[in-house]
Amino acid sequence: MQDLTAIALEVAGSAGASFADIRIVDERRRHLFVRRRSLRSIRDDASLGYAVRVLLDGAWGFASSTRLDAGGVAATAQRAVQIARASRQVPKEVPAQMAAAARHVDTRVGPCAEDPFAMPAGAQADLLLEASNRMMDVEGITATYVALDLTRTRRIVANTDGSYLDLTNTFTEPWINCTAVVNGESQSRRYQRGGRQAGFEWVREIDPVGSARGWAEDAVMKCRAAEVEPGLYDLVLDPMHLSLTMHESVGHPSELDRILGWEANFAGRSFIRPEDIGSLQYGSPVVSFTVDNTLEGGLGSWFYDDDGTPMQRFPMIRDGVLVGVSCTRETAPLVGWEASNGCCRSDSFDRFPINRIPNLYMEPGPAGVTPDDLIAGVDRGIYIYGQGSFSIDQERRNFQFGGDQFWLIEHGKRTKPLRKVTYQAMTTEFWGSCDGVAGPEHWQSHGTPNCGKGEPSQSMRMTHGASFTRFRNIRVGDGSR
Amino acid sequence: MRTADEIRALLHATLASTSADEAEVRYSDLRELGTRFGDNAITQNIATARESVTVDVYFGRQKGTVETLDLSRDGLAAAVARAEGVARAVPEDPELVPLPGPQVYGARPPSYFADVAELAPEQVASDVAQVVAAARAAGFVASGYFEAVAAVEAVANSKGLFGHQAHTDLRYGTTLHGPAGSGKAAANTSARAEMDVADLVQTAVANARLAQSPTAIEPGDYTVIFEPLAAAQLLAFLVFGMSAREAAEGATPFSGQVGQRLLSEKVTVGLVTDDVTLPAPVFGEAGLAVEPRSWVRNGVVTRLRHDRYWAAETGESPDPSLAPLCMAGEDRSAEELVSACPRGLLVKNLWYIRFVDQKTLLLTGMTRDGVFLVEDGQVVRSVKNLRWNESPVVFMQNVLALSHPERVAGWLPLQAPAVMSADFTFTSVTDSV
């Protein structure tokens, strides 16, 4: 491959590029999808393509192709140069430049104990069908959705810094949902752990067949649960639920490209201003967040990002104060930083790499603090398990979340199940109301496989995590209020 | 770009290479030119080309699918072999439906234009420059995405079906931000000659000017006037909820509603194939011919969407496509809706819409790019963005008046009017712009 990557870099260099890279992506993807008792789809796709990215006079050009030979690579690089020249018509106030980076030559392969592509597709389909059938066998269940995405991505990234990276990651991402209709009420129950950078061992660990009946019974139970009475409640949130809340209200607003206004047309901007880094009181003193793109099994642990920057672990919020944001080699210099923290990724060979949420988690509280300790401190509250409905405004202030399951807390005890619970809050007020976090022994991770951002839209994966956490006086509704 | 005859030969050669009982082969050639801008400058500029073939093979009720980007003889042979291997390995599907035979495809207005397919990046950048210059002159910051797409699709199967279609799509959208408000303008056209960049710029600047200096308004139930861009988003959620099978299972508000007046008698929604401003595919799922459909007529649910299996189970014809959607309107402008409104909120755009309750289609979302208080038929002031919690079913039940329909920019080909509707529920306010 190095002879081909050299051609692209030579074409860009001859045109006067200050930076260029070529990213070759060889991807294998298997997708299985069961609906009710039917194997609706099984795909086993392969793709090999590449893109050349050129920074010329502070303006970007990008072109992709599937023609991976000397002539094809040269033509694609020329096309990227042409596009960079066109971009110069509407230049940036400060011409784009890449933060300096060391040269890296490396080959890395991510964790995968049981190769999902070495397994017969039929065995995987049988397992999904069995899980689905077990859910359908429960009275009241009308529909199921059981899917499995298996992806192996090999990226070769070569750039004008002299870096040459050969990186392989495997992702296993299940999707499971069942719907019950009981006495005219319809409720769904979803599998909550998400995906992992792993092989088929992740499917075995979550045990869809063994868990199926319990999930289905939960859906039926939800139909019979009482509707919540809207009002102010304390909330105790489980790690799966919090993973979505932190994704939307911490992960997205702390993307530096949003902060700079580059996503303003679609994904939106951020309430964070560049000058807030280091001083913004984001939450209460018990709130600390860490970025860790080296997390074992993390969906965002790619060794190096698509800028060729090594992935890192760094603090984002400490004792309630915002101390860091995610960035790329292009955005880092715009806030005076000398280097990127490695958060630039693309979802396929033909998409431009952009600032993406990294693996991001909330630090646990003191050892020995249990979820029951948090609940014991609540007089009138709601315990929420898992993820449900979610929506947040375009600068990431006003949000509304649902959940998968809900229980009323009365006088320090979980009493009865509820349904149709939603809560609304403003980001910094919500995190400011946090007054209790369970210990590290209760910390769990959630792999988010489908974060959407960008134009054209890109889907990205990352892992979040938290322990059980308590919030005070949050406005709860029944979805309609 | 391959000709239709070359594509037909490629697909037929692929079909001939399989020993499966039945097979379907689909071809796609997607070319995109996409220019993003933010903070008054181009931030990304891409050109992509992705040509692919997808092979479905069937052995009895066993099916396997493989997509490949390697369209060489060896690449296609490998894809067929892998699909056969998958199909032989997986369980039978009790819901599998036999492939359809040859179709008769209806005529369509032209939808593929060389002036979009061959658009140069310099031309798109020049269009972006117009927006940025106007934004700067007005004291705003421009962002946006200008995209030119040229797409060719074809399908062939072992029962003799062959379909080929091509379209171009020029999608321009921009948002101008001032210190306290934003204004959006967006347009989709099939031909570059139809794209009026000057009008786009003028609309965005006017909307941004109007949206500055918003003040908070108390959340609650309001009469609303949703401009077509906002109304179209609720319309899409409504129609995507019209699954016949899920209705039969009691999981949606459409259960038992076919033939019933569920919505306001002013609401009529259908799939149209002959509107020159709304490109319609000639074929959809499995190569089936796309034909006009009525989903709602004068508030009465006339039809729910049947996939191929559910259509076979219920004796209905399948619906290979939901779109292009057209919601009929009335003979007045959006401005006349404002004039007829004693008190309400004019909403330009919506954002981050998600289900809260599938059974009732209850949604939540935000307003965006301008909300305005209307009193005595006049826009009196800009108000801060609001969260809302409402079902599109209720929104369409409470319709008071409609404007002329117009093509709405977005990924889904759709025509919608501005909609004035009563008692729309807003639940909280935000400072976000």
Side-chain angles (χ1 to χ4, degrees):
Chain A
M1 288 290 186
Q2 277 179 294
D3 52 339
L4 295 175
T5 61
I7 292 170
L9 302 180
E10 168 62 25
V11 169
S14 299
S18 61
F19 174 86
D21 61 15
I22 175 169
R23 184 168 44 88
I24 303 169
V25 181
D26 185 0
E27 189 159 271
R28 178 85 183 271
R29 185 163 182 233
R30 185 177 289 172
H31 173 75
L32 302 96
F33 164 37
V34 171
R35 188 89 166 128
R36 303 178 182 86
R37 299 180 191 276
S38 160
L39 177 64
R40 298 298 295 272
S41 172
I42 176 163
R43 298 178 62 112
D44 200 351
D45 298 339
S47 66
L48 174 61
Y50 65 97
V52 178
R53 189 170 61 147
V54 171
L55 185 56
L56 188 68
D57 298 336
W60 282 110
F62 176 100
S64 73
S65 174
T66 55
R67 190 182 152 202
L68 191 57
D69 56 35
V73 169
T76 303
Q78 290 286 7
R79 178 82 162 143
V81 168
Q82 180 203 0
I83 291 170
R85 288 181 175 138
S87 298
R88 294 187 302 196
Q89 290 183 54
V90 193
K92 299 188 176 197
E93 192 172 336
V94 178
Q97 57 174 324
M98 298 292 263
R103 174 177 177 266
H104 300 280
V105 177
D106 204 354
T107 298
R108 303 286 290 272
V109 178
C112 175
E114 187 176 1
D115 183 355
F117 297 102
M119 289 180 65
Q124 294 165 345
D126 285 341
L127 188 148
L128 298 194
L129 270 169
E130 178 61 19
S132 191
N133 287 339
R134 287 194 183 195
M135 289 191 281
M136 290 296 293
D137 287 344
V138 172
E139 187 176 352
I141 298 297
T142 59
T144 61
Y145 179 103
V146 183
L148 180 61
D149 280 320
L150 305 164
T151 307
R152 173 162 296 145
T153 304
R154 180 183 176 202
R155 292 177 298 142
I156 294 173
V157 180
N159 64 31
T160 47
D161 300 327
S163 290
Y164 187 91
L165 303 165
D166 187 342
L167 310 163
T168 300
N169 302 95
T170 302
F171 306 101
T172 294
E173 295 160 331
W175 307 77
I176 303 169
N177 180 61
C178 62
T179 301
V181 178
V182 178
N183 298 330
E185 178 64 33
S186 174
Q187 292 286 325
S188 293
R189 168 76 163 90
R190 287 197 304 170
Y191 153 75
Q192 292 288 333
R193 296 295 304 280
R196 179 163 291 191
Q197 187 177 162
F200 204 75
E201 67 272 17
W202 178 235
V203 178
R204 301 201 190 284
E205 183 175 333
I206 66 171
D207 187 16
V209 172
S211 307
R213 185 169 185 86
W215 290 330
E217 289 171 347
D218 287 345
V220 173
M221 178 272 287
K222 286 175 70 176
C223 293
R224 297 185 172 123
E227 287 200 27
V228 68
E229 183 181 330
L232 289 178
Y233 290 82
D234 295 340
L235 300 181
V236 176
L237 305 179
D238 97 299
M240 299 303 103
H241 179 88
L242 262 181
S243 292
L244 182 55
T245 312
M246 74 177 65
H247 178 94
E248 302 293 349
S249 68
V250 181
H252 278 309
S254 57
E255 295 163 329
L256 188 50
D257 62 344
R258 276 180 190 267
I259 294 169
L260 295 170
W262 296 3
E263 293 284 336
N265 184 58
F266 177 63
R269 304 186 301 176
S270 174
F271 70 90
I272 298 172
R273 303 288 175 254
E275 57 272 23
D276 291 335
I277 303 167
S279 61
L280 177 68
Q281 193 69 44
Y282 212 99
S284 74
V286 302
V287 173
S288 288
F289 278 91
T290 297
V291 167
D292 190 357
N293 272 338
T294 67
L295 184 72
E296 177 74 13
L299 292 177
S301 301
W302 292 16
F303 305 114
Y304 296 82
D305 73 356
D306 287 334
D307 275 345
T309 305
M311 291 194 143
Q312 300 162 31
R313 182 176 190 276
F314 60 90
M316 179 172 282
I317 294 173
R318 280 294 175 268
D319 305 325
V321 177
L322 180 75
V323 296
V325 297
S326 63
C327 71
T328 67
R329 285 181 66 184
E330 185 186 358
T331 56
L334 298 174
V335 290
W337 295 352
E338 290 184 356
S340 164
N341 51 31
C343 297
C344 186
R345 295 189 285 159
S346 163
D347 74 347
S348 70
F349 73 88
D350 55 2
R351 291 292 177 253
F352 194 95
I354 57 175
N355 193 161
R356 299 309 304 236
I357 298 178
N359 296 327
L360 171 71
Y361 57 81
M362 187 177 183
E363 295 285 350
V369 176
T370 69
D372 284 345
D373 292 337
L374 300 179
I375 289 171
V378 172
D379 189 52
R380 180 176 186 255
I382 297 173
Y383 168 71
I384 302 182
Y385 167 79
Q387 302 175 3
S389 176
F390 58 103
S391 173
I392 190 164
D393 77 33
Q394 48 273 25
E395 290 187 4
R396 304 272 153 179
R397 286 188 182 88
N398 177 311
F399 61 65
Q400 176 177 306
F401 288 96
D404 193 64
Q405 294 179 76
F406 317 94
W407 284 269
L408 187 65
I409 301 171
E410 296 173 293
H411 312 303
K413 301 281 186 196
R414 252 174 48 167
T415 54
K416 64 178 182 180
L418 298 171
R419 62 183 158 101
K420 297 187 176 177
V421 174
T422 57
Y423 65 90
Q424 288 188 14
M426 305 296 279
T427 292
T428 52
E429 291 171 16
F430 174 78
W431 291 106
S433 77
C434 179
D435 79 338
V437 186
E441 57 274 37
H442 301 285
W443 191 95
Q444 296 173 41
S445 66
H446 168 91
T448 301
N450 60 339
C451 168
K453 184 183 172 185
E455 293 177 292
S457 181
Q458 298 190 45
S459 179
M460 188 46 68
R461 43 175 69 95
M462 64 286 296
T463 290
H464 299 301
S467 192
F468 294 76
T469 306
R470 186 173 62 204
F471 300 83
R472 298 294 191 184
N473 288 317
I474 304 298
R475 183 184 160 205
V476 168
D478 61 1
S480 63
R481 284 169 279 177
Chain B
M1 190 169 275
R2 297 174 202 254
T3 66
D5 286 342
E6 289 169 341
I7 295 167
R8 184 196 297 260
L10 182 82
L11 297 188
H12 284 168
T14 308
L15 286 171
S17 69
T18 177
S19 59
D21 299 338
E22 291 186 10
E24 176 185 296
V25 189
R26 297 182 294 280
Y27 169 88
S28 169
D29 184 351
L30 180 66
R31 298 179 188 212
E32 306 162 298
L33 198 61
T35 305
R36 282 189 98 184
F37 51 107
D39 198 22
N40 281 340
I42 289 176
T43 55
Q44 288 176 32
N45 209 346
I46 68 170
T48 73
R50 182 187 282 249
E51 195 179 25
S52 65
V53 164
T54 304
V55 180
D56 288 345
V57 300
Y58 300 76
F59 293 101
R61 289 184 166 276
Q62 294 169 293
K63 176 186 172 189
T65 301
V66 164
E67 181 194 54
T68 183
L69 308 188
D70 181 355
L71 274 53
S72 68
R73 182 179 297 184
D74 289 349
L76 291 170
V80 168
R82 209 161 72 246
E84 290 177 349
V86 169
R88 289 185 194 280
V90 300
E92 292 190 343
D93 179 5
E95 296 190 4
L96 201 72
V97 180
L99 290 171
Q103 302 284 296
V104 176
Y105 296 126
R108 295 285 187 273
S111 60
Y112 188 93
F113 293 87
D115 65 355
V116 171
E118 295 163 10
L119 196 59
E122 293 81 2
Q123 293 173 290
V124 181
S126 170
D127 292 341
V128 171
Q130 285 188 55
V131 176
V132 168
R136 281 207 169 104
F140 297 130
V141 179
S143 61
Y145 185 52
F146 284 9
E147 182 180 38
V149 173
V152 178
E153 294 175 289
V155 59
N157 73 26
S158 52
K159 289 188 170 174
L161 178 149
F162 178 77
H164 175 274
Q165 59 191 2
H167 75 274
T168 49
D169 199 2
L170 195 59
R171 305 168 185 157
Y172 279 14
T174 183
T175 307
L176 306 190
H177 276 86
S182 64
K184 185 173 186 67
N188 282 35
T189 63
S190 296
R192 177 169 164 78
E194 296 165 6
M195 180 62 73
D196 188 340
V197 179
D199 181 67
L200 193 83
V201 169
Q202 194 174 16
T203 302
V205 169
N207 282 338
R209 282 196 174 124
L210 203 58
Q212 301 306 311
S213 307
T215 53
I217 194 166
E218 194 65 25
D221 289 356
Y222 287 84
T223 292
V224 289
I225 299 158
F226 275 23
E227 290 201 348
L229 183 61
Q233 295 175 65
L234 291 193
L235 174 64
F237 271 91
L238 180 86
V239 176
F240 276 98
M242 296 178 75
S243 156
R245 187 171 186 179
E246 290 178 12
E249 290 169 345
T252 78
F254 298 102
S255 303
Q257 292 297 327
V258 175
Q260 304 297 308
R261 172 157 290 153
L262 178 66
L263 309 175
S264 160
E265 64 181 9
K266 292 178 180 291
V267 176
T268 293
V269 182
L271 184 163
V272 296
T273 59
D274 58 354
D275 190 309
V276 293
T277 67
L278 205 58
V282 294
F283 64 82
E285 184 189 0
L288 288 167
V290 172
E291 294 168 346
R293 288 278 191 269
S294 168
W295 307 115
V296 179
R297 184 176 296 121
N298 299 329
V300 175
V301 178
T302 47
R303 181 177 177 81
L304 299 176
R305 174 174 42 88
H306 293 71
D307 63 26
R308 291 203 299 139
Y309 169 73
W310 199 244
E313 281 289 293
T314 56
E316 288 280 350
S317 55
D319 299 300
S321 179
L322 264 175
L325 284 174
C326 181
M327 178 173 172
E330 295 179 317
D331 188 18
R332 64 171 73 83
S333 67
E335 291 73 23
E336 287 174 292
L337 293 184
V338 172
S339 300
C341 179
R343 189 169 195 275
L345 293 174
L346 171 66
V347 175
K348 295 276 185 180
N349 192 11
L350 302 177
W351 165 246
Y352 220 125
I353 305 173
R354 291 292 184 275
F355 279 110
V356 175
D357 181 30
Q358 298 262 2
K359 171 70 179 174
T360 57
L361 292 192
L362 178 64
L363 306 172
T364 189
M366 302 298 304
T367 65
R368 184 171 180 173
D369 303 320
V371 189
F372 306 93
L373 180 65
V374 175
E375 288 180 339
D376 300 326
Q378 301 285 327
V379 170
V380 293
R381 64 181 166 95
S382 168
V383 301
K384 290 188 175 184
N385 281 308
L386 295 147
R387 172 166 297 286
W388 51 269
N389 290 56
E390 192 58 273
S391 166
V393 174
V394 175
F395 176 72
M396 292 295 186
Q397 286 171 336
N398 294 350
V399 170
L400 300 170
L402 306 170
S403 75
H404 307 289
E406 62 181 58
R407 171 92 189 261
V408 178
W411 61 273
L412 186 70
L414 191 151
Q415 265 186 2
V419 177
M420 182 156 72
S421 179
D423 297 328
F424 192 87
T425 301
F426 295 95
T427 54
S428 56
V429 184
T430 182
D431 288 333
S432 294
V433 173

